[in-house]
Amino acid sequence: MQIGASVTRCIWATSTKRAVAGHCAATASWAVLQPAAPTGQAATARAQSHQPALCIRAMASAGSAAVDDAAPNQPLPLVLVVAVALLDVQGRVLLAQRPPGKKLAGLWEFPGGKVDAGEAPEAALVRELQEELGIAVSPAALRPLTFASHAYETFHLLMPTYECSTWVGEPAGQEGQALAWVTAEELEGGGYAMPPADLPMLPPVLAAMHARRAAAAAAAAAGAPA
């Protein structure tokens, strides 16, 4: 699932619709202001000579409208980040603490990182988990769970978040960050302060934690592995 590409297509479609609307408005206004068109070859030549200018005026009109709409709140740069809720067999989730020296230092977050240009979110997450936690994760083990869309002071964060319960290796902070396996009760109790962007994602993460714990309990009762 390539959310970055979907967002780009949505933005392109919106821009295209606005440009078309501007073109139509400019065409109507220009036509009203023109005197009666001549006929024959003169009409054809005149129409052809005015087409480039008309297109330019239409695009300028659309661009001006876009600028006017955005004037009250200038758009922030979009930063695409990917994260994961790593769930163990007990239904606990892994949180990483932002180290000193970084923005939002001391807060707890779901592991992940920035998506590089041209990189799929799943590929970025596999790379980040290897670099940050020293674990190997297959893209097929990443299940889309939720996402965050949050405006910080200098950028807008878009963060698709996945659920994962299968990996190879033991998670360990490769960059000196503290890690904690947290229960649903601890997460609900607010004992781990989190960045503002992460808070709206807690309900689906908690639901996944409860489901994972229930599945493990059912498997244990049936004598099967979780």
Side-chain angles (χ1 to χ4, degrees):
M1 171 178 162
Q2 297 191 15
I3 295 181
S6 299
V7 171
T8 301
R9 286 195 295 270
C10 291
I11 294 173
W12 177 88
T14 302
S15 301
T16 301
K17 290 180 180 178
R18 176 169 288 171
V20 170
H23 174 83
C24 292
T27 302
S29 301
W30 176 79
V32 170
L33 294 176
Q34 298 307 307
T39 59
Q41 295 181 350
T44 302
R46 181 171 181 173
Q48 291 175 345
S49 66
H50 280 288
Q51 281 302 318
L54 178 57
C55 292
I56 292 172
R57 283 196 293 272
M59 289 187 289
S61 175
S64 178
V67 171
D68 290 342
D69 290 347
N73 297 299
Q74 292 296 328
L76 295 170
L78 182 66
V79 176
L80 182 59
V81 173
V82 67
V84 65
L86 286 173
L87 304 179
D88 69 3
V89 70
Q90 301 175 48
R92 299 179 302 174
V93 68
L94 184 68
L95 297 182
Q97 189 175 39
R98 295 186 64 82
K102 286 192 174 183
K103 291 183 178 180
L104 305 176
L107 298 184
W108 295 84
E109 63 184 1
F110 301 111
K114 287 185 179 181
V115 179
D116 291 338
E119 190 177 30
E122 294 85 355
L125 190 51
V126 169
R127 173 180 54 76
E128 288 286 348
L129 292 176
Q130 177 64 53
E131 294 173 357
E132 292 187 3
L133 302 179
I135 61 175
V137 176
S138 168
L142 300 172
R143 299 180 294 277
L145 179 62
T146 184
F147 76 96
S149 179
H150 183 82
Y152 284 102
E153 185 176 353
T154 58
F155 65 93
H156 192 105
L157 177 74
L158 181 62
M159 182 165 62
T161 300
Y162 296 78
E163 172 190 356
C164 180
S165 55
T166 304
W167 59 87
V168 177
E170 185 65 27
Q174 303 298 304
E175 300 174 349
Q177 71 274 35
L179 302 178
W181 287 104
V182 180
T183 67
E185 292 74 20
E186 291 171 331
L187 198 58
E188 291 173 312
Y192 291 83
M194 305 183 76
D198 291 47
L199 298 179
M201 300 193 300
L202 290 184
V205 170
L206 286 166
M209 295 171 70
H210 288 301
R212 173 67 172 161
R213 186 163 61 183

